[in-house]
Amino acid sequence: MHNGILLTAAGWIRDILTFLFGNELLVNILMTLVGIGAIISVILTSAIVFTYAERKVCAFMQVRIGPNRVGGRFGLLQPVADMLKLMSKEDIIPNGCDRVVWSLSPMLLFVPSALIYSFFPFDDGAILADVNVGLFLLLAISSQAVLPFLMGGYASNSKYAMIGGMRTVAQMLSYEAPMAFSLIGVVMLTGSMKMSAIVEAQATHTWFVLLQPIAFVIYLITATAETNRTPFDLVEDESEIVAGPFTEYSGMRWALFFLAEYANLLSISILTTTLFLGGWHGPVLPGAVWFWLKVLVMIFVFMWFRWTFPRTRIDQMLSFSWKVLLPLALVNMLLTGVGIYLYQSLC
Amino acid sequence: MQVIIFRKGIFMGDFGGLGIFFAIALIFPVMALIPAFLLQPRQPTKEKGIPYECGVDTVGKTYVQYRIGYFLYALIFVVFDIETVFLYPWAVRFGQLGLFALLEMFVFVGILAMGLWYAWKKGALSWK
């Protein structure tokens, strides 16, 4: 049995803690806190890196230079400057808003986006909650992100926010159905909803992107829509409804929406890697390195989408989900079923 | 392999870790807001709080009524989301059940496709 880098490090921390405290229950709780701390630091680091990376990628795609003033020629300190700016901005509370619902919305949005990270296998065995309903629970938790958007849109006392909130609900609900149906193919091939089992199945057979190409394409499209990124960013399209549900938020509260958005971008990239691209498995290099290489490629792909596709219209977008993607996902499920049955009866 | 991070059966298992994470995820945004609360200037004026509409004062009520179309999509979604609850356990056992599961699948997807077809013909899927 070979252990990954992350699990070896966790083992060392556990040894130190056992030496210091001795009590096994206490060490277990502390190790959970270490795991949670690691996940939250991954989310925060990704938000810092992505604000910079997205601007640079955008700039290069539009033949511009991008941030180049703060922190040397490459503008490396731009995220720090952004952070300081957001921290020191005045927190403007709009007139006539529903105070409690309005202030709860950005806080609650962070919860589902962070919680789904506990199901991601970052390396061999490095997974916070490897439960046997993993993928299903992940979908259930991530769909809770609809509610904070609706709360923010409703409570802001602004027409733009209201329209944005309603669009969020329609869009995220419509694209969740094909996403759930497309991932059924992966579960059928694996015979388990456990995330570690899905990665193991891809190591023994082959990457699921080869066995489930239709599901992969459907997943990419629905994931882009679920995270409200272009071409499906009707929720916050700046040229129509200013910023959608975030219109009336400023300063740190707005930053929390932004943090959740980048946490979602990272989580869909990780999910694509885990479900379709073989997770942390790969030759020569250690598992954690392979994992992050694949994830970074996926993040670049999603940024590429954002800066090359034009925005769709809401009626086109909703009918595309229900009339094209959902039937396609059902057909994919039937094909997978027939395929598995033929494979089993022939071999 | 899981053992080193969180030993099973001794504490609360995997769901225990999830519960602790849930509590921390609830507290974390508050912790992020506290330094901003200490740093930021506070000069609220009446004009600052006006709902933003590109510099123009709002006309009429801001709590506008939403389109019924959104509600229809939500209704269809509920139907299909419940179908997934049934399909996932079935998908897990598919490999073991053989021909029975395959035939069952065609019946189930047939019923589902009929529901979708009905909604389509009724015009629930098109934006009016």
Side-chain angles (χ1 to χ4, degrees):
Chain A
M1 190 182 96
H2 75 287
N3 275 344
I5 304 172
L6 293 179
L7 212 65
T8 318
W12 289 339
I13 298 172
R14 191 182 185 92
D15 287 343
I16 294 167
L17 288 177
T18 317
F19 177 72
L20 285 177
F21 299 102
N23 185 351
E24 193 159 15
L25 180 70
L26 190 65
V27 173
N28 274 334
I29 297 173
L30 285 174
M31 282 310 289
T32 314
L33 291 179
V34 168
I36 293 167
I39 288 173
I40 287 184
S41 48
V42 163
I43 295 173
L44 293 179
T45 316
S46 73
I48 292 169
V49 174
F50 291 171
T51 46
Y52 177 76
E54 183 133 61
R55 285 179 191 189
K56 275 293 185 193
V57 169
C58 154
F60 286 131
M61 284 188 184
Q62 296 171 342
V63 204
R64 293 188 285 112
I65 300 170
N68 64 342
R69 300 285 164 84
V70 196
R73 244 186 87 205
F74 300 103
L76 281 170
L77 287 179
Q78 189 65 43
V80 181
D82 286 341
M83 196 65 212
L84 286 175
K85 185 199 80 173
L86 287 170
M87 291 275 257
S88 53
K89 280 260 174 169
E90 186 180 353
D91 181 23
I92 298 166
I93 300 160
N95 296 339
C97 72
D98 192 332
R99 272 296 294 274
V100 179
V101 180
W102 181 80
S103 50
L104 268 178
S105 165
M107 297 184 193
L108 289 185
L109 188 61
F110 180 75
V111 177
S113 354
L115 262 189
I116 54 174
Y117 279 79
S118 38
F119 306 108
F120 294 148
F122 292 93
D123 194 2
D124 191 2
I127 171 170
L128 188 74
D130 197 12
V131 292
N132 51 11
V133 286
L135 184 57
F136 194 61
L137 198 54
L138 190 151
L139 285 174
I141 290 175
S142 66
S143 67
Q144 302 306 314
V146 176
L147 206 57
F149 277 110
L150 184 61
M151 284 164 68
Y154 164 77
S156 290
N157 188 28
S158 160
K159 285 171 189 163
Y160 290 135
M162 188 73 170
I163 296 168
M166 285 303 159
R167 279 185 180 181
T168 321
V169 176
Q171 171 175 332
M172 289 177 87
L173 292 189
S174 296
Y175 277 79
E176 204 175 290
M179 176 190 262
F181 279 108
S182 71
L183 295 184
I184 280 178
V186 171
V187 176
M188 282 162 83
L189 285 173
T190 315
S192 173
M193 290 188 272
K194 210 172 181 172
M195 297 302 269
S196 59
I198 291 172
V199 176
E200 284 309 317
Q202 293 180 78
T204 48
H205 297 95
T206 176
W207 289 7
F208 284 159
V209 64
L210 299 172
L211 297 175
Q212 292 278 313
I214 306 173
F216 179 68
V217 173
I218 295 173
Y219 178 76
L220 273 192
I221 296 170
T222 51
T224 321
E226 286 281 307
T227 46
N228 305 325
R229 291 175 69 81
T230 325
F232 306 108
D233 67 338
L234 291 145
V235 166
E236 42 190 292
D237 46 358
E238 55 277 10
S239 54
E240 285 175 37
I241 51 171
V242 190
F246 329 141
T247 308
E248 297 294 337
Y249 289 88
S250 59
M252 206 57 201
R253 290 185 206 270
W254 185 83
L256 283 175
F257 278 115
F258 217 69
L259 181 65
E261 191 174 304
Y262 279 117
N264 284 336
L265 170 63
L266 181 63
S267 68
I268 57 168
S269 307
I270 293 180
L271 205 56
T272 321
T273 308
T274 310
L275 296 179
F276 294 103
L277 302 178
W280 46 266
H281 278 291
V284 189
L285 291 170
V289 177
W290 268 112
F291 178 81
W292 286 109
L293 275 177
K294 290 173 190 174
V295 168
L296 287 177
V297 169
M298 282 320 297
I299 286 168
F300 179 72
V301 169
F302 283 117
M303 284 183 177
W304 195 0
F305 283 178
R306 177 162 182 177
W307 299 111
T308 42
F309 289 134
R311 183 178 297 139
T312 51
R313 232 170 44 213
I314 183 128
D315 59 327
Q316 295 168 334
M317 201 193 77
L318 292 178
S319 58
F320 178 65
S321 164
W322 290 105
K323 293 180 178 172
V324 179
L325 289 181
L326 189 64
L328 205 63
L330 287 176
V331 168
N332 176 59
M333 203 174 85
L334 293 178
L335 285 177
T336 313
V338 173
I340 292 175
Y341 182 70
L342 286 179
Y343 179 79
Q344 277 180 345
S345 47
L346 290 178
C347 300
Chain B
M1 280 185 284
Q2 184 63 27
V3 178
I4 300 172
I5 288 188
F6 205 78
R7 199 154 285 171
K8 267 180 196 157
I10 295 164
F11 186 48
M12 291 179 286
D14 289 323
F15 287 104
L18 208 57
I20 297 173
F21 195 8
F22 181 69
I24 290 178
L26 272 177
I27 299 166
F28 179 80
V30 183
M31 303 298 286
L33 283 174
I34 288 173
F37 184 76
L38 296 175
L39 276 174
Q40 73 201 5
R42 257 182 298 275
Q43 287 113 20
T45 59
K46 202 169 182 311
E47 285 71 31
K48 265 184 200 169
I50 293 173
Y52 179 74
E53 275 183 29
C54 312
V56 183
D57 284 354
T58 60
V59 178
K61 275 195 296 186
T62 40
Y63 284 100
V64 286
Q65 193 181 7
Y66 62 89
R67 295 175 61 119
I68 196 73
Y70 292 114
F71 185 66
L72 279 178
Y73 281 110
L75 269 183
I76 311 168
F77 165 74
V78 169
V79 175
F80 279 91
D81 213 34
I82 292 171
E83 308 293 355
T84 57
V85 177
F86 288 114
L87 276 170
Y88 269 87
W90 164 84
V92 170
R93 301 299 292 171
F94 184 81
Q96 284 96 324
L97 291 174
L99 188 64
F100 171 69
L102 190 71
L103 295 176
E104 193 85 318
M105 174 183 74
F106 277 104
V107 174
F108 196 83
V109 173
I111 296 170
L112 224 104
M114 254 159 66
L116 187 67
W117 179 71
Y118 178 76
W120 196 325
K121 283 290 156 207
K122 277 281 173 186
L125 304 183
S126 28
W127 187 263
K128 284 188 289 280

